[in-house]
Amino acid sequence: MKPFLSENFLLQTKSAERLYHDYAADMPIFDYHCHLPVAEIAENKKFANLTAIWLHGDHYKWRAMRANGVDETYITGSASDKEKFRAWAATVPKTLRNPLYHWTHLELKHPFGITDTLLSPATADTIYEKCSEMLQQENFSTQGLLKQMKVKVVCTTDDPLDSLEHHQKIAADKDCPTRVLPTWRPDRAMATEDPAIFNQWVDRLAACTGRDITSYTDFHESLRERHNFFHEMGCRLSDHGIEEPYAEEYTETEATAIFAKIRSGKQLSQQESLAFKSAMLFEFAVMDHERGWTQQFHFGTLRNNNTRAFTNLGPDTGYDSIGDFTMARSLNRFLDRLDSGDQLSKTILYILNPRDNEMIATLIGNFQDGRIPGKMQFGSGWWFNDQKDGMERQMNALSTMGLLSRFVGMLTDSRSFLSYPRHEYFRRILCNLFGNDIENGELPADFELIGNTVQDICYRNAVNYFGIDPEGE
């Protein structure tokens, strides 16, 4: 019987152990997609206690607590931070076989050094006090944690209207150990479901650019101006969080008329909305190609499914789930339209429904062009799939139907500065896959070859793919 969370955690063979400890463990981190609050990095924030850094905003934990019968008072409500932590500590022993059990204890191990104590009601107060005290040290500030975890690059997620003032402050801070760059996330420029909310955003865009937006052309020009500004601020990636690919037929005249209709405050039909989203998604992709950016697409989430909770708590509070959208035909059509005009930039596709793994793994092969290694990427296991089974399924599909060796690897997709042990989790799973194949005689025991491939996937592929120098300007 192996001890829990030992140095060989998740490593089932000697070959896996060698790959992890000799090649993967010490590699830096290139976190090319996350939701870390930029202001907290800029101010080099220190957190008041463990709840503040670990539970605030973590809807993974909130879902588990609700399932365990914890009242909302102790989740997002008025209870004190210590009371909320105790409620979480009482939930942790009930998360056996949920990835939260692994993540919780990995995050206590790194960076807090707690290796011999499981979180439970009996240990809650001791762990809370010890970690809260450590969080007041300089190396536990936001920048201190990034340095501890060897995070070389962080790409945040930013609305086109963001001033990026905090990114500018970080760029000017010569002591910040990590490059922090913005990512263009224009979802609200396509959110036509509520005309009033859409028009409020467009009005803010107009104010931001100093341009009246009365036409579809004005809208495009204003967005392009913001896109150019993001590029000047170091942005090299876009991201779209959408239910499904939008690839409806439309004409420029139709898109112009649809924009005029919603700008007048009228509700769009479902077909008009899809046509407008299709037009905008294409135009954003063309902008990215012109600038040499990488575009990312996160498909398949059903968001805010609980109306009562949404009314009381708002979005991103743990009421989202996997959708069952059909996307193969529309996604091929969208990418083919771009490729036909040689306007398809480097692309990463993330899916939430694991039934789509093999579909995406084969689809990306349709648009590899022989000019950029791994131009089309099957993104890492995302959200409900960023755990052992989900990561293995994604990598197995990519291995058998594409080139795992060109994979740009793991990201955090998190709002928490304590989430970086997920890279360790990923690397252990990656090394275990290769190690098992070596032990089974399915791969040669060439540790230089396979070890270098592991290091590429852990870090170097991302550096080369995104063209962002972790040390440079």
Short mmCIF file of all heavy atoms in Angstrom, two decimals, residues 23-74:
data_model
loop_
_atom_site.label_atom_id
_atom_site.label_comp_id
_atom_site.label_asym_id
_atom_site.label_seq_id
_atom_site.Cartn_x
_atom_site.Cartn_y
_atom_site.Cartn_z
N TYR A 23 12.69 15.13 -14.82
CA TYR A 23 12.40 15.98 -15.97
C TYR A 23 11.27 16.99 -15.72
O TYR A 23 11.39 18.15 -16.14
CB TYR A 23 12.04 15.11 -17.18
CG TYR A 23 13.19 14.29 -17.69
CD1 TYR A 23 13.38 12.97 -17.25
CD2 TYR A 23 14.10 14.82 -18.58
CE1 TYR A 23 14.46 12.21 -17.70
CE2 TYR A 23 15.19 14.08 -19.04
CZ TYR A 23 15.35 12.77 -18.59
OH TYR A 23 16.42 12.03 -19.05
N ALA A 24 10.21 16.59 -15.08
CA ALA A 24 9.02 17.46 -15.03
C ALA A 24 8.96 18.37 -13.81
O ALA A 24 8.53 19.53 -13.90
CB ALA A 24 7.75 16.60 -15.07
N ALA A 25 9.37 17.87 -12.67
CA ALA A 25 9.05 18.53 -11.40
C ALA A 25 9.55 19.96 -11.31
O ALA A 25 8.86 20.83 -10.75
CB ALA A 25 9.62 17.71 -10.23
N ASP A 26 10.73 20.24 -11.84
CA ASP A 26 11.34 21.55 -11.65
C ASP A 26 11.11 22.51 -12.82
O ASP A 26 11.68 23.61 -12.83
CB ASP A 26 12.85 21.39 -11.42
CG ASP A 26 13.15 20.72 -10.09
OD1 ASP A 26 12.35 20.90 -9.15
OD2 ASP A 26 14.17 20.02 -9.99
N MET A 27 10.31 22.12 -13.79
CA MET A 27 10.06 23.01 -14.91
C MET A 27 9.25 24.23 -14.47
O MET A 27 8.37 24.13 -13.61
CB MET A 27 9.31 22.27 -16.03
CG MET A 27 10.12 21.16 -16.68
SD MET A 27 11.61 21.78 -17.50
CE MET A 27 10.91 22.66 -18.90
N PRO A 28 9.52 25.40 -15.05
CA PRO A 28 8.72 26.59 -14.74
C PRO A 28 7.29 26.43 -15.26
O PRO A 28 6.96 25.45 -15.93
CB PRO A 28 9.46 27.72 -15.49
CG PRO A 28 10.77 27.14 -15.91
CD PRO A 28 10.60 25.67 -16.02
N ILE A 29 6.46 27.41 -14.95
CA ILE A 29 5.06 27.39 -15.36
C ILE A 29 4.78 28.56 -16.31
O ILE A 29 5.17 29.70 -16.04
CB ILE A 29 4.13 27.46 -14.14
CG1 ILE A 29 4.20 26.15 -13.34
CG2 ILE A 29 2.69 27.77 -14.54
CD1 ILE A 29 3.45 26.19 -12.02
N PHE A 30 4.10 28.26 -17.40
CA PHE A 30 3.62 29.26 -18.35
C PHE A 30 2.09 29.17 -18.30
O PHE A 30 1.49 28.32 -18.93
CB PHE A 30 4.14 28.95 -19.76
CG PHE A 30 3.98 30.06 -20.76
CD1 PHE A 30 5.09 30.60 -21.40
CD2 PHE A 30 2.73 30.57 -21.09
CE1 PHE A 30 4.97 31.61 -22.33
CE2 PHE A 30 2.59 31.58 -22.02
CZ PHE A 30 3.71 32.11 -22.64
N ASP A 31 1.48 30.07 -17.53
CA ASP A 31 0.03 30.00 -17.30
C ASP A 31 -0.68 30.89 -18.33
O ASP A 31 -0.98 32.05 -18.07
CB ASP A 31 -0.28 30.45 -15.87
CG ASP A 31 -1.72 30.15 -15.47
OD1 ASP A 31 -2.40 29.39 -16.19
OD2 ASP A 31 -2.17 30.68 -14.44
N TYR A 32 -0.98 30.32 -19.49
CA TYR A 32 -1.45 31.12 -20.62
C TYR A 32 -2.94 31.40 -20.60
O TYR A 32 -3.44 32.12 -21.46
CB TYR A 32 -1.05 30.45 -21.95
CG TYR A 32 -1.50 29.02 -22.11
CD1 TYR A 32 -2.74 28.73 -22.67
CD2 TYR A 32 -0.68 27.96 -21.73
CE1 TYR A 32 -3.16 27.42 -22.82
CE2 TYR A 32 -1.09 26.65 -21.89
CZ TYR A 32 -2.33 26.39 -22.44
OH TYR A 32 -2.74 25.08 -22.59
N HIS A 33 -3.66 30.88 -19.61
CA HIS A 33 -5.07 31.25 -19.46
C HIS A 33 -5.47 31.11 -18.00
O HIS A 33 -5.44 30.02 -17.43
CB HIS A 33 -5.97 30.37 -20.32
CG HIS A 33 -7.43 30.63 -20.09
ND1 HIS A 33 -8.06 31.79 -20.49
CD2 HIS A 33 -8.40 29.90 -19.46
CE1 HIS A 33 -9.33 31.75 -20.14
NE2 HIS A 33 -9.56 30.63 -19.51
N CYS A 34 -5.86 32.24 -17.39
CA CYS A 34 -6.34 32.20 -16.02
C CYS A 34 -7.24 33.40 -15.78
O CYS A 34 -7.43 34.25 -16.66
CB CYS A 34 -5.18 32.20 -15.02
SG CYS A 34 -4.35 33.80 -14.88
N HIS A 35 -7.81 33.47 -14.59
CA HIS A 35 -8.69 34.57 -14.22
C HIS A 35 -8.18 35.26 -12.96
O HIS A 35 -8.97 35.79 -12.17
CB HIS A 35 -10.11 34.05 -14.00
CG HIS A 35 -10.72 33.42 -15.22
ND1 HIS A 35 -11.39 34.14 -16.17
CD2 HIS A 35 -10.73 32.13 -15.64
CE1 HIS A 35 -11.81 33.32 -17.13
NE2 HIS A 35 -11.42 32.10 -16.83
N LEU A 36 -6.88 35.24 -12.73
CA LEU A 36 -6.33 35.91 -11.56
C LEU A 36 -6.66 37.40 -11.61
O LEU A 36 -6.59 38.03 -12.67
CB LEU A 36 -4.81 35.74 -11.51
CG LEU A 36 -4.27 34.34 -11.20
CD1 LEU A 36 -2.76 34.35 -11.19
CD2 LEU A 36 -4.81 33.81 -9.87
N PRO A 37 -7.05 37.99 -10.47
CA PRO A 37 -7.34 39.43 -10.43
C PRO A 37 -6.05 40.24 -10.56
O PRO A 37 -5.18 40.19 -9.70
CB PRO A 37 -8.00 39.62 -9.06
CG PRO A 37 -7.58 38.43 -8.26
CD PRO A 37 -7.33 37.31 -9.20
N VAL A 38 -5.95 40.98 -11.65
CA VAL A 38 -4.70 41.69 -11.97
C VAL A 38 -4.37 42.73 -10.90
O VAL A 38 -3.20 42.93 -10.57
CB VAL A 38 -4.81 42.36 -13.35
CG1 VAL A 38 -3.46 42.93 -13.77
CG2 VAL A 38 -5.30 41.36 -14.39
N ALA A 39 -5.39 43.38 -10.37
CA ALA A 39 -5.14 44.42 -9.37
C ALA A 39 -4.41 43.85 -8.16
O ALA A 39 -3.55 44.52 -7.56
CB ALA A 39 -6.46 45.05 -8.94
N GLU A 40 -4.72 42.61 -7.79
CA GLU A 40 -4.08 42.00 -6.63
C GLU A 40 -2.62 41.67 -6.89
O GLU A 40 -1.80 41.67 -5.98
CB GLU A 40 -4.87 40.76 -6.20
CG GLU A 40 -6.26 41.10 -5.67
CD GLU A 40 -7.05 39.89 -5.23
OE1 GLU A 40 -6.55 38.74 -5.38
OE2 GLU A 40 -8.18 40.07 -4.72
N ILE A 41 -2.28 41.39 -8.15
CA ILE A 41 -0.86 41.20 -8.50
C ILE A 41 -0.15 42.54 -8.48
O ILE A 41 0.96 42.67 -7.95
CB ILE A 41 -0.72 40.54 -9.88
CG1 ILE A 41 -1.47 39.20 -9.93
CG2 ILE A 41 0.77 40.31 -10.20
CD1 ILE A 41 -1.47 38.55 -11.30
N ALA A 42 -0.80 43.56 -9.04
CA ALA A 42 -0.18 44.88 -9.13
C ALA A 42 0.13 45.45 -7.74
O ALA A 42 1.19 46.07 -7.54
CB ALA A 42 -1.08 45.83 -9.91
N GLU A 43 -0.77 45.25 -6.79
CA GLU A 43 -0.54 45.79 -5.45
C GLU A 43 0.26 44.84 -4.57
O GLU A 43 0.56 45.15 -3.43
CB GLU A 43 -1.87 46.12 -4.78
CG GLU A 43 -2.71 44.90 -4.40
CD GLU A 43 -4.04 45.26 -3.77
OE1 GLU A 43 -4.96 45.65 -4.50
OE2 GLU A 43 -4.15 45.12 -2.53
N ASN A 44 0.60 43.67 -5.13
CA ASN A 44 1.33 42.65 -4.38
C ASN A 44 0.61 42.34 -3.07
O ASN A 44 1.20 42.36 -1.98
CB ASN A 44 2.78 43.09 -4.11
CG ASN A 44 3.68 41.92 -3.77
OD1 ASN A 44 3.34 40.75 -4.02
ND2 ASN A 44 4.83 42.20 -3.19
N LYS A 45 -0.66 42.05 -3.19
CA LYS A 45 -1.56 41.89 -2.05
C LYS A 45 -1.15 40.74 -1.13
O LYS A 45 -0.70 39.69 -1.59
CB LYS A 45 -2.98 41.66 -2.56
CG LYS A 45 -4.02 41.43 -1.48
CD LYS A 45 -5.41 41.26 -2.07
CE LYS A 45 -6.44 40.97 -0.99
NZ LYS A 45 -7.82 40.91 -1.53
N LYS A 46 -1.37 40.95 0.15
CA LYS A 46 -1.32 39.88 1.13
C LYS A 46 -2.74 39.61 1.62
O LYS A 46 -3.52 40.55 1.83
CB LYS A 46 -0.42 40.25 2.32
CG LYS A 46 1.06 40.33 1.98
CD LYS A 46 1.86 40.70 3.21
CE LYS A 46 3.34 40.83 2.89
NZ LYS A 46 4.12 41.27 4.07
N PHE A 47 -3.06 38.34 1.82
CA PHE A 47 -4.41 37.96 2.21
C PHE A 47 -4.52 37.86 3.72
O PHE A 47 -3.60 37.37 4.40
CB PHE A 47 -4.79 36.64 1.55
CG PHE A 47 -4.90 36.75 0.05
CD1 PHE A 47 -3.79 36.61 -0.75
CD2 PHE A 47 -6.12 37.05 -0.55
CE1 PHE A 47 -3.88 36.74 -2.14
CE2 PHE A 47 -6.23 37.18 -1.92
CZ PHE A 47 -5.10 37.01 -2.72
N ALA A 48 -5.66 38.29 4.24
CA ALA A 48 -5.85 38.36 5.68
C ALA A 48 -5.83 36.99 6.35
O ALA A 48 -5.37 36.85 7.49
CB ALA A 48 -7.17 39.08 6.00
N ASN A 49 -6.32 35.98 5.64
CA ASN A 49 -6.38 34.65 6.23
C ASN A 49 -6.56 33.61 5.13
O ASN A 49 -6.67 33.95 3.94
CB ASN A 49 -7.52 34.57 7.25
CG ASN A 49 -8.85 34.98 6.65
OD1 ASN A 49 -9.31 34.40 5.67
ND2 ASN A 49 -9.48 36.00 7.24
N LEU A 50 -6.59 32.36 5.50
CA LEU A 50 -6.66 31.27 4.53
C LEU A 50 -7.98 31.26 3.77
O LEU A 50 -8.01 30.95 2.58
CB LEU A 50 -6.43 29.94 5.24
CG LEU A 50 -6.33 28.69 4.36
CD1 LEU A 50 -5.28 28.86 3.26
CD2 LEU A 50 -6.00 27.47 5.22
N THR A 51 -9.06 31.62 4.42
CA THR A 51 -10.35 31.67 3.73
C THR A 51 -10.32 32.70 2.61
O THR A 51 -10.82 32.46 1.51
CB THR A 51 -11.48 32.02 4.72
OG1 THR A 51 -11.57 30.98 5.69
CG2 THR A 51 -12.82 32.16 4.01
N ALA A 52 -9.71 33.85 2.86
CA ALA A 52 -9.70 34.94 1.89
C ALA A 52 -9.01 34.53 0.59
O ALA A 52 -9.43 34.92 -0.50
CB ALA A 52 -9.02 36.16 2.49
N ILE A 53 -7.96 33.74 0.67
CA ILE A 53 -7.23 33.34 -0.53
C ILE A 53 -7.74 32.02 -1.10
O ILE A 53 -7.58 31.74 -2.29
CB ILE A 53 -5.71 33.24 -0.23
CG1 ILE A 53 -4.92 33.11 -1.54
CG2 ILE A 53 -5.40 32.08 0.73
CD1 ILE A 53 -3.41 33.15 -1.34
N TRP A 54 -8.42 31.21 -0.28
CA TRP A 54 -8.72 29.83 -0.68
C TRP A 54 -10.18 29.58 -0.98
O TRP A 54 -10.50 28.74 -1.82
CB TRP A 54 -8.27 28.90 0.45
CG TRP A 54 -7.72 27.59 -0.01
CD1 TRP A 54 -7.15 27.29 -1.22
CD2 TRP A 54 -7.64 26.40 0.77
NE1 TRP A 54 -6.73 25.99 -1.23
CE2 TRP A 54 -7.02 25.41 -0.02
CE3 TRP A 54 -8.04 26.07 2.06
CZ2 TRP A 54 -6.80 24.12 0.44
CZ3 TRP A 54 -7.80 24.79 2.51
CH2 TRP A 54 -7.19 23.82 1.71
N LEU A 55 -11.08 30.29 -0.31
CA LEU A 55 -12.51 30.00 -0.46
C LEU A 55 -13.29 31.10 -1.18
O LEU A 55 -14.30 30.81 -1.83
CB LEU A 55 -13.15 29.76 0.92
CG LEU A 55 -12.68 28.54 1.70
CD1 LEU A 55 -13.38 28.46 3.04
CD2 LEU A 55 -12.94 27.27 0.91
N HIS A 56 -12.84 32.34 -1.06
CA HIS A 56 -13.56 33.42 -1.71
C HIS A 56 -13.51 33.23 -3.23
O HIS A 56 -12.45 33.20 -3.83
CB HIS A 56 -12.94 34.78 -1.33
CG HIS A 56 -13.16 35.16 0.09
ND1 HIS A 56 -12.71 36.35 0.62
CD2 HIS A 56 -13.80 34.52 1.11
CE1 HIS A 56 -13.04 36.43 1.90
NE2 HIS A 56 -13.70 35.33 2.22
N GLY A 57 -14.67 33.09 -3.85
CA GLY A 57 -14.73 32.98 -5.30
C GLY A 57 -14.50 31.59 -5.86
O GLY A 57 -14.53 31.42 -7.08
N ASP A 58 -14.30 30.59 -5.03
CA ASP A 58 -13.99 29.24 -5.53
C ASP A 58 -15.27 28.42 -5.63
O ASP A 58 -15.68 27.74 -4.69
CB ASP A 58 -12.99 28.55 -4.61
CG ASP A 58 -12.43 27.27 -5.23
OD1 ASP A 58 -13.10 26.68 -6.10
OD2 ASP A 58 -11.32 26.86 -4.85
N HIS A 59 -15.89 28.45 -6.80
CA HIS A 59 -17.17 27.76 -6.95
C HIS A 59 -17.03 26.24 -6.98
O HIS A 59 -18.01 25.53 -6.79
CB HIS A 59 -17.92 28.25 -8.19
CG HIS A 59 -17.12 28.23 -9.46
ND1 HIS A 59 -16.95 27.09 -10.20
CD2 HIS A 59 -16.47 29.22 -10.11
CE1 HIS A 59 -16.22 27.38 -11.27
NE2 HIS A 59 -15.91 28.66 -11.23
N TYR A 60 -15.82 25.70 -7.21
CA TYR A 60 -15.62 24.25 -7.07
C TYR A 60 -15.94 23.84 -5.62
O TYR A 60 -16.66 22.88 -5.37
CB TYR A 60 -14.17 23.87 -7.36
CG TYR A 60 -13.72 23.91 -8.79
CD1 TYR A 60 -13.23 25.07 -9.37
CD2 TYR A 60 -13.73 22.75 -9.57
CE1 TYR A 60 -12.78 25.09 -10.67
CE2 TYR A 60 -13.28 22.76 -10.88
CZ TYR A 60 -12.80 23.93 -11.42
OH TYR A 60 -12.35 23.95 -12.73
N LYS A 61 -15.33 24.56 -4.69
CA LYS A 61 -15.54 24.25 -3.27
C LYS A 61 -16.99 24.52 -2.87
O LYS A 61 -17.59 23.76 -2.10
CB LYS A 61 -14.57 25.04 -2.40
CG LYS A 61 -13.10 24.66 -2.59
CD LYS A 61 -12.22 25.43 -1.61
CE LYS A 61 -10.76 25.04 -1.71
NZ LYS A 61 -10.11 25.53 -2.95
N TRP A 62 -17.55 25.62 -3.38
CA TRP A 62 -18.92 25.96 -3.02
C TRP A 62 -19.90 24.87 -3.42
O TRP A 62 -20.81 24.54 -2.67
CB TRP A 62 -19.32 27.28 -3.68
CG TRP A 62 -18.54 28.48 -3.22
CD1 TRP A 62 -17.64 28.53 -2.18
CD2 TRP A 62 -18.58 29.78 -3.79
NE1 TRP A 62 -17.12 29.80 -2.08
CE2 TRP A 62 -17.67 30.58 -3.05
CE3 TRP A 62 -19.26 30.36 -4.85
CZ2 TRP A 62 -17.48 31.94 -3.34
CZ3 TRP A 62 -19.07 31.70 -5.15
CH2 TRP A 62 -18.19 32.46 -4.40
N ARG A 63 -19.73 24.30 -4.61
CA ARG A 63 -20.63 23.23 -5.06
C ARG A 63 -20.55 22.04 -4.11
O ARG A 63 -21.57 21.44 -3.77
CB ARG A 63 -20.26 22.80 -6.48
CG ARG A 63 -20.68 23.78 -7.56
CD ARG A 63 -20.09 23.41 -8.91
NE ARG A 63 -20.65 22.17 -9.45
CZ ARG A 63 -21.66 22.11 -10.32
NH1 ARG A 63 -22.26 23.22 -10.72
NH2 ARG A 63 -22.08 20.96 -10.79
N ALA A 64 -19.33 21.69 -3.71
CA ALA A 64 -19.17 20.55 -2.80
C ALA A 64 -19.82 20.83 -1.45
O ALA A 64 -20.44 19.95 -0.84
CB ALA A 64 -17.68 20.23 -2.63
N MET A 65 -19.65 22.04 -0.96
CA MET A 65 -20.23 22.39 0.34
C MET A 65 -21.75 22.32 0.29
O MET A 65 -22.38 21.80 1.22
CB MET A 65 -19.74 23.77 0.77
CG MET A 65 -18.24 23.81 1.08
SD MET A 65 -17.55 25.47 1.25
CE MET A 65 -18.14 25.91 2.89
N ARG A 66 -22.34 22.82 -0.78
CA ARG A 66 -23.79 22.73 -0.90
C ARG A 66 -24.25 21.29 -0.94
O ARG A 66 -25.25 20.91 -0.33
CB ARG A 66 -24.24 23.48 -2.16
CG ARG A 66 -24.05 24.99 -2.08
CD ARG A 66 -24.43 25.69 -3.38
NE ARG A 66 -24.08 27.11 -3.30
CZ ARG A 66 -23.37 27.76 -4.22
NH1 ARG A 66 -22.94 27.13 -5.30
NH2 ARG A 66 -23.09 29.04 -4.07
N ALA A 67 -23.51 20.46 -1.70
CA ALA A 67 -23.86 19.04 -1.79
C ALA A 67 -23.74 18.35 -0.43
O ALA A 67 -24.43 17.35 -0.17
CB ALA A 67 -22.98 18.34 -2.81
N ASN A 68 -22.89 18.91 0.42
CA ASN A 68 -22.70 18.34 1.75
C ASN A 68 -23.67 18.92 2.78
O ASN A 68 -23.55 18.65 3.97
CB ASN A 68 -21.25 18.58 2.21
CG ASN A 68 -20.86 17.71 3.38
OD1 ASN A 68 -21.18 16.51 3.41
ND2 ASN A 68 -20.15 18.29 4.35
N GLY A 69 -24.61 19.73 2.33
CA GLY A 69 -25.62 20.25 3.24
C GLY A 69 -25.23 21.49 4.00
O GLY A 69 -25.85 21.81 5.02
N VAL A 70 -24.19 22.20 3.53
CA VAL A 70 -23.75 23.42 4.21
C VAL A 70 -24.66 24.58 3.81
O VAL A 70 -24.90 24.81 2.63
CB VAL A 70 -22.28 23.74 3.86
CG1 VAL A 70 -21.86 25.07 4.46
CG2 VAL A 70 -21.37 22.62 4.34
N ASP A 71 -25.14 25.30 4.79
CA ASP A 71 -26.01 26.44 4.52
C ASP A 71 -25.22 27.55 3.82
O ASP A 71 -24.02 27.75 4.06
CB ASP A 71 -26.57 26.99 5.85
CG ASP A 71 -27.61 28.07 5.62
OD1 ASP A 71 -28.78 27.74 5.40
OD2 ASP A 71 -27.22 29.26 5.65
N GLU A 72 -25.91 28.30 2.95
CA GLU A 72 -25.25 29.34 2.14
C GLU A 72 -24.60 30.42 3.01
O GLU A 72 -23.65 31.09 2.57
CB GLU A 72 -26.26 29.98 1.17
CG GLU A 72 -25.63 30.73 0.03
CD GLU A 72 -24.87 29.83 -0.94
OE1 GLU A 72 -25.27 28.65 -1.10
OE2 GLU A 72 -23.89 30.31 -1.54
N THR A 73 -25.08 30.55 4.23
CA THR A 73 -24.47 31.51 5.15
C THR A 73 -22.98 31.25 5.30
O THR A 73 -22.18 32.18 5.44
CB THR A 73 -25.14 31.42 6.54
OG1 THR A 73 -26.54 31.68 6.39
CG2 THR A 73 -24.53 32.41 7.52
N TYR A 74 -22.60 29.97 5.27
CA TYR A 74 -21.21 29.57 5.48
C TYR A 74 -20.44 29.39 4.16
O TYR A 74 -19.31 28.92 4.17
CB TYR A 74 -21.16 28.28 6.29
CG TYR A 74 -21.80 28.42 7.65
CD1 TYR A 74 -23.14 28.10 7.84
CD2 TYR A 74 -21.07 28.92 8.73
CE1 TYR A 74 -23.74 28.26 9.09
CE2 TYR A 74 -21.66 29.08 9.97
CZ TYR A 74 -22.99 28.76 10.15
OH TYR A 74 -23.59 28.93 11.38
#
